[in-house]
Amino acid sequence: MRTLDRRLLRTILGAKAQYGAVVIIICIGLAAWISISSTAENMSTALAEYYSQHQFADLFADFTQVPVNTIDDLAKYKEVEMVEARIITDIRADVGREFYPTLRLVSIRHEQEINRLYVQAGRIPATAGERGIALLNVFARENNIAVGDKIDLIIRGELFPVTVTALVDSPEYIYAIKDIKGMLPDNLNFGIGFINLPLLQELMAMPGQANNAVITLRPGVDERALLEEIKEDFKGRGLKSMITKEDQVSHALIELEIQQLQRVSKAVPAMFLGIASLVIYMLISRLVRADRISIGILKATGYSNFELMEHYLKLALILGIVGAIGGITGGYILAGLMTQLMLDYFHLPLMEINLYFGFVFVGLVSALLFCGLSGIWAARGVIGIAPAEAMRPKAQLLGKKSLVEKWAPAVWTRCTFSWKLVLRGISRNRRRFVLATAGVALTYALILFSVYMFSIWNIVVDQQFGRLETYDYAISFLEPVGSDATVDLRRQVHAPIIEPFLELPFELTYGWHRQSVLARALPRTSQLYCFEDQEGNLVSLPSRGVLLSQGLANSLGVKRGSVVELSSYITGGQSYLVPVTAVVAQYLGSGLYLSLKQMERLTGQKGTFTGVVLTSSDDVKGMFQNMANIESICSRTDLADTFSEYMGVIITSASFMICLGGLLGFSILYNTTSVSIAEREREFSSLRVLGYFKPEIFRLIIRENAIATAAGLIIGAPLGKGIVVIMMNAVTGSTPELFYFPATIKPSAYFIAAGLVIGFMILTLLAIGRKVNRLDFLQALSSRLN
Amino acid sequence: MSKEVLLSLNSVSKTYELGEVKVEALKDTSLDIYKGELIVILGPSGSGKTTLLNIIGGMDRPTTGRVLYRGKDITLFNDKELTLYRRREVGFIFQLYNLMSTLTARENVELATELVENPLPAEQVLFSIGLKDRLDHFPSQLSGGEQQRVAIARAVAKNPGLLLGDEPTGALDYETGIQILALLRKINVDYGATVVIITHNVAIAHMADRVVRLRSGEIVEDRVNLEPIPAERIVW
């Protein structure tokens, strides 16, 4: 090893903590890049493979009960490759638990082509005469059901025993949720059961009929255009709604997750490597300044500018390489853990944990590029050092008035001497102060975002289930009921408020935007739905017109006062123009709300309802679960419980983010302060000679950092808000009709985040305090060693 | 002593511009340095002796005039050529030693030997100047005299044509100073090195082969010392 290289190594070892902090930032950046990118790639590859092997459908259509022949007509389109008519219906099932979970029955064919199942255990039920069912693996697992077990399907109040012949995964239900309002899978209370079409037709009393279709298209077909064409052709033929693969809930959510991962995988490393390169720049330029005489000597000895620049560049590259090695190793381990975590939510049977060397390569090159460029930029200071010049004592820094002195002389005159020292110090080293401030600002922004993530779920759940929907139970019926059903219910349960609702699918058009929606008609004076606009003002259901949820309005570009077009199979395809009287806050799912009267005007349906919502302290689920004609009973507590379970994941990831933010802030502040102390050794030594105590000198450093922290908090607040807005737009921007997160940060979040930043700053100062204590002031005054 | 000219300064001047003020550090200075001689350049503070040394050592360029080393005008050298000149031909010794604090005595010397093709072995040089037991000590573990010895070893080990000392005894006590001067003479004799010492200490002139006196940027005296005395006999 060359002597100069040995010197370099000793320089690094002499400031382990400082360089270690930079290495950690690089490690985090690269680990984030490799783990998140690999996870996204693992998911994306597995998804594509799964879809391809199992023929995931391109189009999904909901029909009213129609003859299979009607659905088979779809095969006449030349763009269509295959069509499969299906029955999909939600029922309840007795699986041996106290409460009956909702089971979505999906028909399959013996020679299933589209959305083929992935058999985890057992076999697909045989066609001839077997009363068998294949259950979604995750539902079976949660309910302790094994192959060979018998479960009872509850249809029209009757029990139909079936045997579980297989546990399966389905490309259509990778993320199995009942509807988007659930948002999170509740695999205990909602599952999918696959039954052969003839048996399901028999059970549902739908001989020769179906209510759903899945379609695959030939390559290169414009699916949107075809979808519009089919919708037009099938008007009045029972087509309720039709969506492309992109809007299929399971696919949309998994795609969204992949997109989110891809976005984060780029943003986080760029931010961390950017910060690392700034810190490296600061450290190396400081080293070059401190090495001024050494550089002079080395030049006098015959070392060239190139050799000396290379010397300092090596330092940057060593940091980059060490960081990259740590980051790649950590990234690989994290990729496994993250992929496993994703597997808990998304059931992708073909998913494997792979490390992609492309990501490793890009990560390594990026780390070397970021570090190398900052190293070159800082090391260029070497060129400016003339050997003869370097031997002379360095010129005194120009004494300049600080900004406070210039702009607020009255304040300046009232400052104590030590405060003046602090302000002058900041004024003299503006670049370092800016870096420290930027570090605090970024830390604050990151922590604020994490605290926001922490609180947003509470806001969303509170808005959805505490303010918008205030009922305790929602009961959906298999067949529409008359108004006497509410009277019957009231007899059986103590329910202070029972309100019926009628939910029907509509096609909502505004300009060139078109969206399939479920419109929910409610009594105008509903007490269990409380609508608020974006400003929090109460909004009542209009007698004429509709209310749209914020996400749906955003996706269509609709505003209050816009007139939208509504059509449905129930209206025989006829369109109606209806004004939007308000856009209301709803964060989960999308909603179109109207009065029962308005629904009657649109569809002619009067006195029929598809469900009820009610408040009750009774055990409604237990009381009604044996009732015929009940599709599902949802309790608000169940939903809240599902979200509480998910909060664990949120808390873990937010805490992780907070730690990352803190580490970032620690690293920047530790380095800027260390450099500040090193550069002002002589100044501090002089103060010691004057009679200053070490704690008094430490107080100067604390004050400098406190000012940087205060400035960082002021800048970090809007920065954090900006990150929240950008991230939330990115998260919900592509699917605002699925969910919509308000970018509202509670004032308490600002305070909590600021408290955490100050906490991290105190930790940094405690670490720095040891440095101040160890400073040998007399040595600093007399030292001429390099 | 042979009279082969190693380095020749012809009408060299150097002017520094400090804001609006111009300082003439050297004025039309001409001087020949002969191969193998030990020359002492005397002068008070501000007389221009460090400027002269820096120009001789290729660390600074004159404003006017020529500096010929073995017949080549080093004022015409570009940065790369000047660096090579310093690398191959010049060894510097500074008043404040200027050792690398993170390198041992041996490594400080190796730092220089790695640069040239035919260096003297670092250990041999350190042995010869009495640092046999101090090879692996860091500068902070050495006395001032020992540090200066390491600095001398660093300069000598490159086997340079010119050894330049800028107040090499300035930071040392009398006894140590004398030892260092004796060492410089030993190197001058043993290795045949041309040694240029600049100092304000008139007593040191007694050991020189030639004495040059500078005042206000001009040479006021250039005389051959017919009877140089051993360093050990110098008193100040």
Side-chain angles (χ1 to χ4, degrees):
Chain A
M1 188 190 281
R2 291 181 65 200
T3 315
L4 214 50
D5 295 337
R6 237 174 285 162
R7 178 179 188 259
L8 187 67
L9 277 185
R10 287 183 194 148
T11 304
I12 296 173
L13 293 175
K16 285 189 287 284
Q18 275 174 269
Y19 294 117
V22 184
V23 166
I24 288 172
I25 300 182
I26 299 169
C27 276
I28 292 171
L30 285 200
W33 159 250
I34 288 172
S35 59
I36 302 172
S37 305
S38 300
T39 306
E41 191 64 24
N42 282 332
M43 284 176 74
S44 188
T45 312
L47 190 68
E49 187 70 16
Y50 193 25
Y51 283 171
S52 153
Q53 282 187 19
H54 291 253
Q55 294 257 43
F56 187 49
D58 294 307
L59 296 176
F60 297 79
D62 267 334
F63 283 86
T64 55
Q65 202 168 312
V66 294
V68 169
N69 292 345
T70 308
I71 290 173
D72 285 346
D73 280 353
L74 287 165
K76 289 177 183 165
Y77 291 88
K78 65 177 187 307
E79 296 92 338
V80 170
E81 192 177 51
M82 280 186 293
V83 177
E84 277 182 17
R86 310 192 297 182
I87 293 174
I88 294 186
T89 185
D90 286 358
I91 57 142
R92 285 166 310 129
D94 183 351
V95 294
R97 285 200 294 124
E98 191 186 347
F99 296 113
Y100 300 155
T102 300
L103 196 60
R104 177 163 296 168
L105 297 181
V106 179
S107 69
I108 47 170
R109 293 182 177 192
H110 186 57
E111 294 297 323
Q112 178 89 2
E113 288 292 341
I114 305 174
N115 295 352
R116 273 205 305 272
L117 302 175
Y118 182 96
V119 181
Q120 294 276 14
R123 56 168 181 79
I124 301 289
T127 339
E130 185 181 31
R131 296 178 87 84
I133 188 167
L135 284 181
L136 199 67
N137 189 33
V138 67
F139 170 76
R141 202 168 59 207
E142 287 284 320
N143 286 283
N144 294 319
I145 303 170
V147 172
D149 289 354
K150 279 196 178 348
I151 60 168
D152 290 323
L153 307 179
I154 304 166
I155 301 169
R156 296 181 302 273
E158 282 181 63
L159 297 180
F160 291 90
V162 285
T163 307
V164 178
T165 66
L167 304 182
V168 296
D169 280 318
S170 161
E172 195 179 351
Y173 295 101
I174 294 168
Y175 193 82
I177 53 173
K178 187 167 180 287
D179 61 50
I180 193 64
K181 265 188 217 164
M183 190 71 193
L184 300 166
D186 178 5
N187 295 314
L188 183 69
N189 295 310
F190 177 73
I192 316 288
F194 301 91
I195 293 182
N196 279 312
L197 181 63
L199 176 60
L200 194 52
Q201 282 172 330
E202 178 199 322
L203 294 175
M204 298 308 296
M206 290 170 66
Q209 293 189 309
N211 64 5
N212 182 277
V214 278
I215 302 154
T216 56
L217 303 177
R218 294 187 196 286
V221 172
D222 177 355
E223 48 191 49
R224 293 267 167 203
L226 178 66
L227 182 133
E228 294 306 323
E229 193 185 334
I230 294 174
K231 275 183 179 175
E232 199 56 40
D233 295 349
F234 273 74
K235 259 186 189 170
R237 296 184 66 191
L239 179 62
K240 283 160 77 175
S241 67
M242 194 173 200
I243 53 169
T244 64
K245 172 165 83 177
E246 274 63 43
D247 293 332
Q248 199 261 344
V249 171
S250 164
H251 174 78
L253 286 173
I254 195 167
E255 268 295 314
L256 186 70
E257 187 65 35
I258 293 172
Q259 281 171 16
Q260 245 178 287
L261 286 174
Q262 283 167 340
R263 271 192 207 108
V264 173
S265 76
K266 290 186 187 85
V268 172
M271 189 165 73
F272 276 73
L273 287 180
I275 291 290
S277 54
L278 273 178
V279 177
I280 288 175
Y281 169 76
M282 184 190 69
L283 288 176
I284 295 184
S285 14
R286 137 87 191 142
L287 194 60
V288 168
R289 281 199 301 277
D291 273 358
R292 187 170 153 268
I293 296 175
S294 295
I295 292 167
I297 303 290
L298 290 168
K299 283 189 173 184
T301 310
Y303 280 89
S304 65
N305 278 330
F306 179 77
E307 283 166 319
L308 291 175
M309 276 186 71
E310 182 193 292
H311 176 65
Y312 293 100
L313 177 60
K314 266 184 200 165
L315 170 58
L317 293 178
I318 287 173
L319 297 179
I321 289 168
V322 175
I325 292 170
I328 289 166
T329 315
Y332 182 59
I333 297 166
L334 275 178
L337 295 174
M338 273 187 74
T339 307
Q340 197 54 52
L341 193 73
M342 287 300 160
L343 277 173
D344 290 343
Y345 278 92
F346 302 102
H347 303 283
L348 274 166
L350 305 175
M351 192 136 152
E352 286 173 0
I353 300 167
N354 287 319
L355 179 68
Y356 298 90
F357 287 99
F359 295 136
V360 173
F361 179 74
V362 170
L364 188 65
V365 170
S366 310
L368 293 181
L369 208 66
F370 271 87
C371 296
L373 286 177
S374 60
I376 291 172
W377 194 246
R380 83 196 194 290
V382 166
I383 299 169
I385 297 176
E389 193 71 28
M391 304 298 151
R392 297 191 198 109
K394 206 177 173 191
Q396 289 272 340
L397 281 174
L398 285 176
K400 274 187 188 169
K401 286 187 173 181
S402 71
L403 292 179
V404 179
E405 213 172 341
K406 274 191 226 163
W407 294 342
V411 176
W412 178 258
T413 48
R414 280 188 199 145
C415 283
T416 58
F417 174 67
S418 52
W419 269 111
K420 284 178 180 170
L421 270 180
V422 169
L423 295 171
R424 282 256 166 86
I426 290 171
S427 189
R428 195 179 281 174
N429 297 294
R430 283 189 209 116
R431 217 182 288 177
R432 196 163 55 229
F433 179 74
V434 167
L435 182 60
T437 304
V440 175
L442 200 59
T443 302
Y444 185 47
L446 272 181
I447 293 179
L448 189 59
F449 177 68
S450 312
V451 175
Y452 162 82
M453 286 303 292
F454 214 66
S455 61
I456 187 62
W457 282 95
N458 280 330
I459 294 174
V460 167
V461 172
D462 178 57
Q463 170 63 31
Q464 188 76 31
F465 304 115
R467 297 168 77 167
L468 175 65
E469 298 170 349
T470 54
Y471 52 78
D472 294 321
Y473 294 94
I475 302 173
S476 296
F477 300 116
L478 281 170
E479 301 290 336
V481 295
S483 50
D484 49 340
T486 53
V487 181
D488 285 348
L489 280 173
R490 207 182 286 278
R491 273 197 216 114
Q492 296 172 57
V493 65
H494 173 69
I497 309 169
I498 298 184
E499 289 177 1
F501 64 81
L502 174 60
E503 203 165 53
L504 294 170
F506 274 88
E507 196 76 8
L508 176 61
T509 312
Y510 182 70
W512 56 273
H513 296 284
R514 184 176 281 193
Q515 183 81 44
S516 297
V517 292
L518 263 182
R520 182 168 281 207
L522 308 163
R524 267 205 73 199
T525 52
S526 171
Q527 291 171 270
L528 301 180
Y529 278 86
C530 183
F531 299 104
E532 287 175 8
D533 63 15
Q534 289 302 289
E535 284 75 44
N537 304 315
L538 287 177
V539 174
S540 55
L541 270 176
S543 57
R544 283 181 185 279
V546 294
L547 305 178
L548 285 195
S549 66
Q550 181 73 52
L552 184 60
N554 283 1
S555 75
L556 296 167
V558 170
K559 291 193 169 58
R560 203 181 95 178
S562 303
V563 176
V564 296
E565 197 180 311
L566 286 174
S567 65
S568 168
Y569 72 97
I570 300 155
T571 65
Q574 196 183 335
S575 299
Y576 293 91
L577 291 174
V578 188
V580 175
T581 58
V583 171
V584 295
Q586 178 183 343
Y587 302 137
L588 297 178
S590 56
L592 185 151
Y593 301 93
L594 66 168
S595 65
L596 286 164
K597 196 79 190 158
Q598 173 73 68
M599 183 67 105
E600 186 190 326
R601 275 197 291 273
L602 291 175
T603 62
Q605 295 206 15
K606 190 181 177 187
T608 53
F609 310 106
T610 53
V612 292
V613 287
L614 55 103
T615 57
S616 175
S617 51
D618 289 353
D619 174 18
V620 174
K621 275 181 91 170
M623 292 166 78
F624 290 125
Q625 68 173 345
N626 288 316
M627 230 173 128
N629 198 29
I630 284 188
E631 182 195 277
S632 65
I633 304 172
C634 280
S635 85
R636 208 152 54 103
T637 343
D638 285 350
L639 286 165
D641 286 350
T642 313
F643 279 99
S644 305
E645 273 178 40
Y646 188 63
M647 275 308 280
V649 179
I650 296 287
I651 288 169
T652 312
S653 57
S655 310
F656 186 62
M657 285 275 286
I658 288 171
C659 288
L660 283 192
L663 207 60
L664 199 70
F666 177 87
S667 169
I668 296 171
L669 274 185
Y670 185 81
N671 274 306
T672 48
T673 315
S674 298
V675 168
S676 172
I677 291 172
E679 285 193 347
R680 295 162 69 190
E681 243 179 352
R682 277 167 184 272
E683 183 184 325
F684 292 154
S685 305
S686 306
L687 291 175
R688 286 280 284 149
V689 172
L690 282 174
Y692 268 65
F693 291 108
K694 281 182 181 176
E696 285 175 313
I697 287 168
F698 189 42
R699 209 173 298 147
L700 297 177
I701 295 164
I702 293 175
R703 283 175 181 173
E704 260 188 42
N705 277 301
I707 293 175
T709 305
L713 292 179
I714 292 166
I715 297 165
L719 186 68
K721 170 85 182 177
I723 292 179
V724 165
V725 171
I726 290 168
M727 290 301 282
M728 287 307 106
N729 278 344
V731 168
T732 58
S734 54
T735 49
E737 70 281 5
L738 293 185
F739 49 85
Y740 173 82
F741 284 171
T744 318
I745 304 176
K746 282 183 184 173
S748 61
Y750 285 101
F751 287 109
I752 293 167
L756 286 166
V757 169
I758 291 167
F760 282 120
M761 195 204 80
I762 291 169
L763 284 179
T764 313
L765 286 172
L766 286 177
I768 286 288
R770 289 169 52 232
K771 249 180 200 285
V772 177
N773 245 342
R774 282 203 304 245
L775 263 184
D776 185 343
F777 294 97
L778 288 177
Q779 173 74 21
L781 275 179
S782 60
S783 176
R784 279 301 301 266
L785 291 173
N786 303 294
Chain B
M1 187 190 294
S2 75
K3 280 288 186 182
E4 185 190 337
V5 175
L6 183 69
L7 185 133
S8 175
L9 290 109
N10 295 327
S11 305
V12 167
S13 66
K14 177 73 185 179
T15 307
Y16 293 108
E17 289 186 19
L18 299 172
E20 290 177 2
V21 184
K22 284 188 177 178
V23 178
E24 260 194 303
L26 277 181
K27 298 170 190 163
D28 195 28
T29 305
S30 295
L31 176 71
D32 286 338
I33 296 170
Y34 300 104
K35 195 176 175 192
E37 72 175 345
L38 191 152
I39 179 168
V40 169
I41 300 173
L42 284 174
S45 235
S47 59
K49 52 187 192 304
T50 299
T51 305
L52 182 66
L53 195 78
N54 286 341
I55 289 172
I56 293 171
M59 296 220 293
D60 209 349
R61 292 171 191 274
T63 312
T64 60
R66 299 196 308 156
V67 181
L68 301 172
Y69 181 81
R70 295 191 204 268
K72 283 185 184 165
D73 188 352
I74 66 167
T75 61
L76 301 176
F77 282 5
N78 60 23
D79 274 348
K80 190 182 171 190
E81 288 165 328
L82 263 186
T83 303
L84 287 174
Y85 167 68
R86 290 197 300 268
R87 180 180 291 203
R88 292 171 184 158
E89 308 296 346
V90 185
F92 273 102
I93 303 157
F94 301 97
Q95 180 181 2
L96 289 165
Y97 340 127
N98 291 326
L99 299 177
M100 306 287 155
S101 60
T102 50
L103 298 179
T104 61
R106 187 205 314 257
E107 288 165 348
N108 263 289
V109 179
E110 282 171 351
L111 196 63
T113 57
E114 281 173 1
L115 281 175
V116 290
E117 282 173 12
N118 298 306
L120 302 172
E123 284 179 18
Q124 182 196 313
V125 179
L126 285 163
F127 277 24
S128 73
I129 60 170
L131 287 174
K132 191 180 170 187
D133 301 325
R134 292 282 194 263
L135 295 184
D136 296 317
H137 285 62
F138 285 96
S140 57
Q141 297 167 315
L142 301 172
S143 69
E146 286 170 329
Q147 287 190 48
Q148 190 60 301
R149 279 164 191 263
V150 176
I152 292 169
R154 182 174 65 185
V156 172
K158 283 202 302 179
N159 203 5
L162 257 176
L163 197 58
L164 307 178
D166 184 356
E167 297 277 12
T169 59
L172 302 173
D173 59 57
Y174 169 72
E175 282 82 10
T176 318
I178 293 296
Q179 286 171 18
I180 293 297
L181 291 173
L183 183 63
L184 287 172
R185 172 57 93 184
K186 183 173 182 288
I187 286 160
N188 169 246
V189 174
D190 291 357
Y191 298 105
T194 308
V195 179
V196 181
I197 299 170
I198 60 164
T199 181
H200 66 278
N201 188 344
V202 182
I204 296 174
H206 296 302
M207 67 175 282
D209 298 321
R210 195 147 64 101
V211 180
V212 174
R213 199 182 288 269
L214 275 175
R215 189 186 300 140
S216 304
E218 286 175 305
I219 294 177
V220 292
E221 183 188 350
D222 181 354
R223 66 176 169 86
V224 174
N225 185 6
L226 294 173
E227 290 182 10
I229 60 169
E232 291 82 353
R233 284 175 50 202
I234 298 173
V235 180
W236 68 78

